[in-house]
């Protein structure tokens, strides 16, 4: 999607590409977008990938990458992502920051079997990781998943977590800061 911001500033976001065309499409699109719109941010959210893949997309012009950590609890993460090791997600997040992306993390509130201690650990992880972006939202069960019969997450707890993140990292959720940063790079 493309989000138009004030003063002719746009942020291009690319999500959910499927192989085998995804790699070619991603790099081709990034090169073209960055060439045509050099002062605009390109935000990706394409899941876990190799260091080399992240680096190629960064070198092609991607600025930001959102990869929610989902849960700072190893057990809870692996419960909701069977067969996907917790350590790989953490390594991917580290790789994104090491490469130079404005990396984003985030978590769901109200995941089945989540405790308040789990939420505290999520907030501590966000504080330690210091993401440029942080996506926090309530768990919403989907009818076609194994978690379909669970209750949705609490909106109240979600808002409390958002408020705490704003206190821990005052700049992380302030989109006007990203807007003014991008505006300062635009030549009109």
């Amino acid at each position: 999607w493309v989000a138009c911001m004030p003063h002719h500033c746009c942020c291009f976001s690319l999500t959910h590409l499927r192989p085998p065309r995804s790699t070619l499409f991603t790099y081709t699109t990034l090169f073209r977008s960055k060439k045509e719109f050099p002062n605009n941010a390109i935000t990706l959210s394409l899941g876990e990938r190799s260091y080399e893949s992240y680096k190629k997309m960064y070198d092609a012009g991607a600025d930001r990458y959102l990869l929610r950590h989902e849960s700072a609890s190893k057990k809870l993460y692996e419960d909701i992502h069977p067969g996907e090791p917790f350590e790989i997600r953490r390594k991917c997040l580290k790789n994104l920051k090491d490469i130079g992306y404005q990396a984003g993390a985030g978590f769901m509130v109200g995941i089945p079997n989540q405790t308040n201690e789990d939420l505290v650990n999520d907030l501590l992880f966000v504080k330690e990781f210091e993401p440029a972006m942080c996506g926090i939202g309530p768990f919403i069960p989907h009818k076609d998943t194994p978690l379909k019969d669970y209750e949705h997450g609490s909106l109240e707890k979600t808002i409390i977590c958002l408020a705490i993140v704003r206190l821990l990292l005052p700049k992380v959720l302030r989109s006007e800061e990203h807007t003014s940063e991008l505006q300062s790079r635009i030549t009109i």
Side-chain angles (χ1 to χ4, degrees):
W1 59 267
V2 177
C4 291
M5 312 257 247
H7 307 287
H8 313 288
C9 174
C10 293
C11 176
F12 299 90
S13 285
L14 201 54
T15 60
H16 308 296
L17 295 175
R18 302 200 192 284
R21 292 187 181 163
S22 64
T23 303
L24 176 61
F25 176 76
T26 301
Y27 301 144
T28 303
T29 301
L30 290 177
F31 279 122
R32 189 176 67 234
S33 297
K34 208 55 170 180
K35 186 176 178 183
E36 292 177 24
F37 305 99
N39 296 321
N40 296 308
I42 297 176
T43 304
L44 303 178
S45 185
L46 302 172
E48 295 173 356
R49 293 180 173 247
S50 68
Y51 182 95
E52 293 75 23
S53 177
Y54 290 142
K55 181 78 168 107
K56 284 179 184 175
M57 290 184 285
Y58 184 80
D59 291 344
D63 306 289
R64 302 174 180 160
Y65 200 105
L66 178 61
L67 180 67
R68 290 185 183 207
H69 67 276
E70 301 292 349
S71 176
S73 160
K74 178 177 172 40
K75 180 181 179 345
L76 194 55
Y77 178 86
E78 291 179 351
D79 283 350
I80 61 174
H81 294 284
E84 297 179 30
F86 175 77
E87 295 78 12
I88 290 177
R89 180 63 58 111
R90 289 292 179 98
K91 181 69 173 167
C92 287
L93 286 165
K94 181 185 179 320
N95 287 345
L96 290 166
K97 279 191 100 172
D98 288 350
I99 290 168
Y101 280 99
Q102 290 180 340
F107 57 95
M108 290 186 284
V109 177
I111 298 168
N113 304 313
Q114 185 180 54
T115 65
N116 286 336
E117 183 179 345
D118 292 324
L119 289 172
V120 169
N121 287 330
D122 283 322
L123 293 165
L124 291 172
F125 174 77
V126 167
K127 174 66 175 162
E128 179 185 323
F129 184 68
E130 295 183 322
M133 308 167 286
C134 189
I136 301 172
F139 166 74
I140 301 171
H142 187 276
K143 66 179 179 65
D144 295 331
T145 68
L147 303 176
K148 66 183 175 201
D149 296 325
Y150 287 90
E151 287 291 315
H152 60 81
S154 160
L155 182 58
E156 182 179 1
K157 270 190 181 182
T158 302
I159 291 170
I160 290 168
C161 287
L162 285 166
I164 293 170
V165 167
R166 289 208 54 144
L167 293 170
L168 293 172
L169 300 166
K171 296 179 180 180
V172 74
L173 298 175
R174 293 180 57 191
S175 62
E176 64 272 11
E177 186 156 307
H178 292 298
T179 302
S180 61
E181 172 198 331
L182 291 170
Q183 289 171 356
S184 70
R185 297 188 301 181
I186 295 175
T187 308
I188 299 177

